[in-house]
Amino acid sequence: MRELRDISLDPDDLTQRQRLVVVYAVSLVSVVLTFTAVYYWGMANLEGRPRTALQAFNTVIETLTTTGFGADSPWETPWMNALVATIQVSGVVIGFVTLRVLVIPLFERTPMNLDDRLTPKRDHVVVAEYRHDTEVLLDELETLDVDYVLVESDDDEAMRLSDDGYQAINGDPEDGDDLERASIRDASVLITDAGDETASIVLTALELNEGLRVVSFTPSTRQKAALAEIGVDRSVAPHSLIGQRLAEKATTPVSVGDHASSEVAIREILVRRGSTLHGVSVGESPLARHPELTLVAGWFDGQLRLPPSPEDRLTPNTVLVVAGPSDVIDEAAGEISGVQTTRGRQHSRVVVAGLGEGGTAAVEALPDGVEATTVDQSPANDPDVVGDVTEPETLEAAGIEDATALVVTVNSDAAALLTTAMARSLSPGVEILARVTDTEKASAAFRAGADYVLSVQRVSARLVAAEIHGERVMDPVGQIRLVRADAAPFAGQTVADASDPEHGWTVVGVVHGGEMNTDRTAEIAAGDEVFVAGTDRAIREFEQAVE
């Protein structure tokens, strides 16, 4: 609080609110003195009952505050009755003005204290600013039962999140005292997404807790080296990461070996928004529990897991890779609402729309042998085709009609949706993989014609969750392969027991007496053959292990 001597009485130095308070005080005093003078004169000259000035002042105050009229009532003359009625109405008006000018602003200016709403913290996560939709991240942390505190510099946003039940406080994450309020000394992980303030936040936090694991979001991969220098353990450029994951998804086909039987197929099953599988764990899904089907792999927010964990939750945009008899796969998928079944595609020519961080990462992630055509509005990015990708002429110049896949990494969601719709109208058979920022725009991208969509907000939140849980993100893979091999090494085991999830290969089924059996409980005999699915590297390890 400032000292009185520091308060200037010069009208030019007063704030708008201070001037309003001065006008209010002067007006109130003027009204009270005017009513007192008129009442004093009226009681002496109209009523014939003279009063002292103090008595008149007391009666006016009683009337203005509606606490009574004292001993002067009733009044005989109509003029005095009119005066008292005017004083009463004025008192009501003054009451409302007092609330608006003094009382309400007083409560509005009261400092927030959200700390009292926090539960005790230890080994928790401190989130120091987050710009990729805070609620998506906090919901993800709460789903995983991860304790956290969000330090939000925007007071209104902090209050809104706290009122909604989130563990949020208002404060400046660059200020050590505010980080102390978030129990930074007892935290295990710091998540920061604060742009230019990131370095200051990280250095301040590490001074208070040197053992923190720090995960930082950055708009550009060029900042990673600098962030590592100040103590950031993992820095992530979301747009670049998603571009890479879209390219990996587009170029990770399913390959069936020359000796594999036509009785076994591998299909991709996409979980759409509104599907009955939404929120169901992999282990509890009808596909995993089907006795004749095997879940080979799954794409979760652009991350390949092979095989998926039974505890993984299915969300819109999850892609499950399922192996088994083709008719059984189609029948099982047909009984589940909100899913789409597709065959794995192999791409030889990919168009990349948008050559920023994401588009550049997508091009770099494409394997040898895949031709890439890049499109961007800026000649400075050196694209193959310069132009607006929402215009049909630009996409036609990029050869969209002959392309096998389109990766959309343009800057805005609106442009991504329009590009997707335009490409679908020009090339009905092209596979479209799109990036959007807003999680809610993913369903719109599907309606526009996209086959696969990744949201910056969702992927960022999932990445944070993976870092906190120490999950390993799988390295890029060339393809998912299905091969046929001698079953002698697995004799006496069931199909389910013969798999090796640690090394990434899964036994899909067994051929016994010339007949294919994909029942997970089927026992393998020495003279049988097995079908095994996995990545290139996993299949090579399998083949070396059984030689």
Side-chain angles (χ1 to χ4, degrees), residues 64-311:
L64 279 173
T65 57
T66 67
T67 57
F69 304 121
D72 289 349
S73 61
W75 294 271
E76 300 297 333
T77 62
W79 292 108
M80 285 302 294
N81 279 286
L83 173 63
V84 172
T86 301
I87 296 175
Q88 285 180 298
V89 173
S90 299
V92 174
V93 173
I94 291 172
F96 281 111
V97 173
T98 303
L99 284 173
R100 184 65 190 89
V101 174
L102 293 181
V103 180
I104 294 178
L106 180 64
F107 283 97
E108 288 178 343
R109 292 165 65 88
T110 301
M112 291 187 296
N113 185 10
L114 304 180
D115 302 34
D116 294 338
R117 301 182 182 182
L118 297 180
T119 57
K121 304 296 178 187
R122 190 167 213 42
D123 292 329
H124 59 291
V125 176
V126 173
V127 183
E129 302 282 21
Y130 191 73
R131 299 179 179 178
H132 293 94
D133 194 327
T134 307
E135 285 159 294
V136 174
L137 171 64
L138 301 187
D139 286 341
E140 186 72 31
L141 295 178
E142 293 193 350
T143 299
L144 297 172
D145 199 26
V146 174
D147 209 3
Y148 66 90
V149 179
L150 169 69
V151 183
E152 172 60 57
S153 58
D154 186 317
D155 289 349
D156 293 337
E157 179 68 3
M159 177 64 79
R160 184 186 69 80
L161 290 169
S162 181
D163 289 343
D164 287 342
Y166 295 108
Q167 295 284 285
I169 61 173
N170 59 304
D172 180 3
E174 295 183 74
D175 188 329
D177 291 338
D178 286 337
L179 289 177
E180 291 271 20
R181 292 167 51 214
S183 303
I184 190 69
R185 294 183 187 274
D186 296 322
S188 58
V189 179
L190 171 70
I191 307 294
T192 178
D193 179 23
D196 294 340
E197 289 78 37
T198 293
S200 175
I201 293 172
V202 171
L203 292 171
T204 302
L206 290 176
E207 284 184 1
L208 299 172
N209 184 348
E210 294 182 354
L212 275 176
R213 175 169 174 76
V214 181
V215 180
S216 175
F217 288 89
T218 173
S220 172
T221 55
R222 293 186 295 272
Q223 298 181 359
K224 287 189 173 183
L227 292 175
E229 191 68 26
I230 64 172
V232 173
D233 298 287
R234 176 77 186 276
S235 55
V236 180
H239 289 81
S240 176
L241 175 67
I242 289 180
Q244 176 186 342
R245 288 188 174 180
L246 289 176
E248 290 170 9
K249 175 65 181 68
T251 55
T252 306
V254 174
S255 174
V256 180
D258 295 336
H259 301 290
S261 169
S262 59
E263 296 175 81
V264 177
I266 293 186
R267 298 282 189 272
E268 290 186 346
I269 297 181
L270 172 67
V271 179
R272 297 280 199 180
R273 182 175 293 274
S275 170
T276 53
L277 292 181
H278 184 199
V280 177
S281 67
V282 168
E284 293 298 319
S285 69
L287 295 172
R289 300 171 68 181
H290 198 291
E292 296 185 69
L293 299 180
T294 301
L295 285 181
V296 177
W299 293 90
F300 295 81
D301 296 311
Q303 178 185 334
L304 178 64
R305 299 180 186 175
L306 197 156
S309 167
E311 286 76 34

Side-chain angles (χ1 to χ4, degrees), residues 377 388-391 408-423 434-438 440-442 444-445 448:
Q377 277 188 304
D388 183 355
V389 291
T390 64
E391 296 293 336
V408 181
T409 58
V410 292
N411 289 331
S412 73
D413 288 353
L417 297 177
L418 184 54
T419 300
T420 299
M422 185 62 68
R435 179 196 73 198
V436 295
T437 299
D438 190 345
E440 298 301 321
K441 295 298 182 182

Side-chain angles (χ1 to χ4, degrees), residues 421-490:
M422 185 62 68
R424 180 59 68 211
S425 68
L426 295 173
S427 181
V430 69
E431 182 174 15
I432 302 177
L433 304 97
R435 179 196 73 198
V436 295
T437 299
D438 190 345
T439 302
E440 298 301 321
K441 295 298 182 182
S443 59
F446 280 120
R447 289 196 298 270
D451 297 289
Y452 189 71
V453 183
L454 287 181
S455 158
V456 173
Q457 296 173 352
R458 175 62 61 189
V459 170
S460 298
R462 282 294 305 130
L463 183 66
V464 168
E467 284 292 326
I468 294 169
H469 276 258
E471 298 177 7
R472 184 176 63 88
V473 178
M474 180 169 286
D475 295 330
V477 294
Q479 60 181 356
I480 298 173
R481 294 174 56 197
L482 176 67
V483 298
R484 187 170 182 165
D486 183 21
F490 310 105

